[in-house]
C-alpha cells in the first residue's frame, strides 16, 4: 500500500515506507544549522526514559516515520534532494536535561527541533532555541506561558491550554444540556505543573460563565504520584456531578482506578480535558471496565480521515503498537520543518524560521484546517474534539462533523 499527500506544491510525503531505515549517510555541518552535502539534521527531544517514556518513544517514532517518508519521496527537492537525518535526544522529562540536550543538538548542527511533551521541559528548550535562533516546533506542550514571551523561533502545532480548557468546558456544557441534564458542579483533579494549572484556570473561567460551579480543585505531582484514592475520596465528599481530570497517561490510569475503587455516587461522568490517557487506545485496555464512559476533550488524530487511518496502520505494522496522538503530532511537526526547508530552498535556520511562519501545512489532527501559525507562534487552526470510551473503544463523539458516535451522558449509572 502506498498513500501520498501534498505538503506544498513541491513536496509529497508517502505514508508507505521502505523496509530499511530512512536516513541517508551522515553529513557535515558548517555550524549554526547551515549544512553542506550529506543530510539535513532535525533534532527530536522527548522523554525516552522516566515516567513518560512510553509517550516519548511514540513521539520519537512518529518523527522517524515522517523523516523516512520524506526521504523516500526524494528528500528536500529544492536543495538537490538532500535527505533528512533525525537526531534523537532523551529529556528524561527533566527541564534541565532538556535544556542541555537542546544545546547539544544545536551544536551538532540541527536546523530545527521538535518536542518535547512536558510543558516545563519545553519552556527551557524554547529559551535555548530562541537564544541560538534555531526553530522549535512544539508537538506536545500546551502551557500558555511558553508563547507569551514574544518568541520568534518557537511554534506550537497543538492547541494551547486556554483553547483546550475553554473548549472543554463548552463541550461539556453543550453535551449535558443536549441530554437535558445540565451540569451543576465540577470537581477538578489536575497535575500541578504549568500545563495542568493553565488548563484548570481556562476550564474554570469558561464553566463559570455557563453557570457551573467549579470546585474543589485538587493538584498532584504527576511524576511521583502512585495512588489517587485520597483525592477521589475528597471528590466523593464534595458531591460533584462531574470530575474533570487533566494530566498525563500514567496518572490518568491511576485516576480511573481510584474512581472505580471509591465509586462517588453523585458522579455522572469523568471528563478529561487534555488528558494524556483517556483518548488513547491503550487506556481502555489497561484500565479495563474502569475506563468505560470516560470523556476527553483533546487534540486528537482525525480517525475519520483515510490518511490518518493509513498512518495508524503503518505505525502498527512497524512498531507492533497502536499509534498515540503524540506520535501523530510529532509526525506533523517534522512535516512543518520539511515544508519550510522545501520552500526556503535553504537550511539556514533564519530562513527556515521565516518559511515556517508563513507556511500552511496539511495535518492529520482533527481541527479547523491546515497548520498555520499566527504572530505569537500558535497554530491558528488547532482545536480539540471530544472523545468517549464506548464499548472499550475510544470514539469521536463531538462536534457532530467529527463524530463517529453520539456522546453518552450521563456516562455512569448511579454508583
Amino acid at each position: 500500500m502506498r498513500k501520498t499527500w501534498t505538503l506544498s506544491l513541491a513536496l509529497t510525503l508517502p505514508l508507505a515506507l521502505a523496509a530499511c531505515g530512512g536516513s541517508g549517510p551522515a553529513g557535515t555541518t558548517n555550524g549554526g544549522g547551515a549544512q553542506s552535502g550529506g543530510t539535513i539534521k532535525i533534532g527530536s527531544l522527548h522523554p525516552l526514559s522516566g515516567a513518560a517514556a512510553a509517550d516519548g518513544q511514540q513521539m520519537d517514532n512518529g518523527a522517524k516515520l515522517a523523516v523516512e517518508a520524506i526521504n523516500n519521496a526524494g528528500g528536500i527537492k529544492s536543495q538537490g534532494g538532500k535527505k533528512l537525518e533525525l537526531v534523537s535526544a532523551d529529556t528524561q522529562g527533566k527541564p534541565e536535561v532538556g535544556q542541555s540536550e537542546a544545546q547539544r543538538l544545536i551544536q551538532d548542527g540541527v536546523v530545527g527541533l521538535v518536542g518535547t511533551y512536558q510543558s516545563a521541559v519545553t519552556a527551557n528548550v524554547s529559551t535555548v532555541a530562541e537564544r541560538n535562533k534555531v526553530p522549535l516546533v512544539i508537538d506536545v506542550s500546551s502551557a500558555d506561558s511558553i508563547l507569551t514571551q514574544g518568541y520568534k523561533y518557537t511554534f506550537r502545532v497543538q492547541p494551547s491550554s486556554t483553547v483546550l480548557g475553554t473548549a472543554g468546558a463548552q463541550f461539556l456544557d453543550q453535551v449535558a444540556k443536549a441530554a437535558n441534564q445540565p451540569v451543576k458542579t465540577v470537581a477538578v483533579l489536575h497535575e500541578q505543573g504549568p500545563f495542568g494549572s493553565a488548563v484548570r484556570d481556562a476550564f474554570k473561567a469558561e464553566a463559570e460563565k455557563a453557570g457551573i460551579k467549579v470546585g474543589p480543585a485538587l493538584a498532584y505531582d504527576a511524576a511521583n504520584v502512585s495512588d489517587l484514592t485520597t483525592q477521589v475520596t475528597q471528590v466523593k465528599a464534595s458531591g460533584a456531578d462531574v470530575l474533570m481530570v487533566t494530566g498525563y497517561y500514567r496518572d490518568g490510569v491511576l485516576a480511573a482506578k481510584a474512581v472505580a475503587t471509591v465509586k462517588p455516587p453523585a458522579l455522572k461522568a469523568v471528563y478529561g480535558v487534555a488528558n494524556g490517557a483517556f483518548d488513547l487506545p491503550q487506556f481502555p485496555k489497561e484500565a479495563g471496565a474502569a475506563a468505560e464512559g470516560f470523556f476527553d476533550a483533546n487534540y486528537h488524530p482525525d480517525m475519520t480521515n483515510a490518511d490518518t487511518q493509513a498512518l495508524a496502520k503503518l505505525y502498527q505494522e512497524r512498531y507492533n503498537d497502536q499509534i498515540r496522538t503524540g506520535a501523530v503530532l510529532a509526525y506533523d511537526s517534522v512535516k512543518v520543518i520539511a515544508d519550510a526547508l522545501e520552500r526556503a530552498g535553504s537550511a539556514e535556520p533564519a530562513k527556515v524560521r521565516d518559511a515556517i511562519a508563513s507556511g500552511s501545512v496539511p495535518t492529520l489532527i482533527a481541527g479547523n484546517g491546515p497548520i498555520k501559525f499566527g504572530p505569537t507562534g500558535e497554530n491558528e487552526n488547532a482545536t480539540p474534539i471530544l472523545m468517549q470510551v464506548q464499548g472499550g473503544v475510544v470514539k469521536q463523539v463531538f462536534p457532530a462533523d467529527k463524530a463517529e458516535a453520539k456522546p453518552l451522558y450521563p456516562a455512569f449509572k448511579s454508583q
Side-chain angles (χ1 to χ4, degrees):
M1 178 189 69
R2 186 176 181 85
K3 294 281 290 183
T4 63
W5 68 88
T6 301
L7 275 180
S8 67
L9 292 177
L11 179 61
T12 302
L13 299 181
L15 283 176
L17 306 178
C20 60
S23 292
T28 59
T29 66
N30 294 326
Q35 310 203 6
S36 62
T39 59
I40 300 173
K41 296 180 180 179
I42 295 175
S44 170
L45 280 161
H46 298 99
L48 305 180
S49 62
D55 288 289
Q57 189 60 62
Q58 279 251 350
M59 296 172 77
D60 195 57
N61 290 342
K64 289 175 181 175
L65 291 182
V67 165
E68 291 183 10
I70 294 159
N71 288 343
N72 290 341
I76 306 302
K77 298 180 180 67
S78 69
Q79 300 186 47
K82 283 187 179 179
K83 304 296 186 182
L84 298 182
E85 177 184 351
L86 192 74
V87 185
S88 300
D90 181 10
T91 69
Q92 302 175 32
K94 300 175 181 178
E96 66 279 6
V97 175
Q99 182 172 325
S100 62
E101 286 296 277
Q103 188 64 52
R104 180 180 65 80
L105 292 180
I106 290 171
Q107 290 172 346
D108 192 36
V110 301
V111 302
L113 299 166
V114 298
T116 71
Y117 188 63
Q118 290 109 331
S119 289
V121 178
T122 301
N124 280 26
V125 170
S126 63
T127 63
V128 175
E130 293 293 322
R131 183 171 63 247
N132 289 275
K133 293 182 169 54
V134 171
L136 165 65
V137 180
I138 300 169
D139 41 26
V140 177
S141 288
S142 69
D144 293 346
S145 56
I146 297 169
L147 288 179
T148 59
Q149 314 296 318
Y151 288 160
K152 299 298 182 184
Y153 281 78
T154 304
F155 304 87
R156 175 160 43 208
V157 170
Q158 70 149 99
S160 69
S161 293
T162 293
V163 170
L164 289 163
T166 300
Q170 292 170 347
F171 291 170
L172 175 61
D173 182 50
Q174 292 170 34
V175 166
K177 286 179 177 175
N180 294 316
Q181 298 206 37
V183 178
K184 296 179 180 179
T185 58
V186 177
V188 178
L189 181 62
H190 67 93
E191 72 88 24
Q192 65 187 10
F195 152 55
S197 299
V199 172
R200 174 203 63 203
D201 292 346
F203 178 89
K204 183 175 186 291
E206 191 66 21
E208 289 178 343
K209 288 181 185 178
I212 299 171
K213 179 182 178 181
V214 179
L218 308 169
Y220 60 87
D221 180 355
N224 297 307
V225 70
S226 59
D227 185 89
L228 288 168
T229 54
T230 297
Q231 290 88 340
V232 174
T233 299
Q234 292 178 260
V235 172
K236 179 180 180 178
S238 76
D241 47 338
V242 173
L243 170 61
M244 190 278 263
V245 186
T246 296
Y248 299 106
Y249 183 83
R250 188 179 67 88
D251 40 302
V253 174
L254 291 176
K257 292 179 177 178
V259 170
T261 298
V262 176
K263 295 181 173 60
L267 211 59
K268 294 180 179 179
V270 175
Y271 188 88
V273 178
N275 191 280
F278 298 169
D279 67 324
L280 297 184
Q282 292 84 355
F283 173 64
K285 293 179 180 179
E286 184 167 350
E292 189 64 23
F294 277 40
F295 287 97
D296 194 27
N298 213 339
Y299 47 91
H300 189 73
D302 184 4
M303 297 312 297
T304 66
N305 182 313
D307 288 334
T308 310
Q309 294 168 5
L311 180 61
K313 180 180 179 182
L314 178 61
Y315 192 98
Q316 179 72 45
E317 292 171 351
R318 177 64 64 89
Y319 298 108
N320 194 31
D321 194 10
Q322 290 178 287
I323 197 167
R324 299 187 183 189
T325 303
V328 180
L329 283 162
Y331 189 98
D332 272 357
S333 297
V334 171
K335 284 166 50 183
V336 166
I337 296 177
D339 173 72
L341 284 163
E342 190 68 61
R343 290 185 297 106
S346 169
E348 294 181 22
K351 293 182 179 179
V352 175
R353 177 264 166 216
D354 290 345
I356 291 173
S358 64
S360 179
V361 181
T363 177
L364 299 182
I365 298 293
N368 292 328
I371 298 168
K372 186 175 178 60
F373 300 108
T376 65
E378 296 282 11
N379 177 7
E380 295 180 331
N381 290 324
T383 186
I385 61 174
L386 186 63
M387 283 80 53
Q388 187 178 29
V389 179
Q390 296 183 359
V393 177
V394 176
K395 296 183 179 180
Q396 297 171 194
V397 297
F398 192 84
D401 64 334
K402 300 294 183 184
E404 302 169 291
K406 293 182 179 180
L408 301 178
Y409 185 91
F412 303 146
K413 297 178 180 179
S414 180
Q415 302 229 30

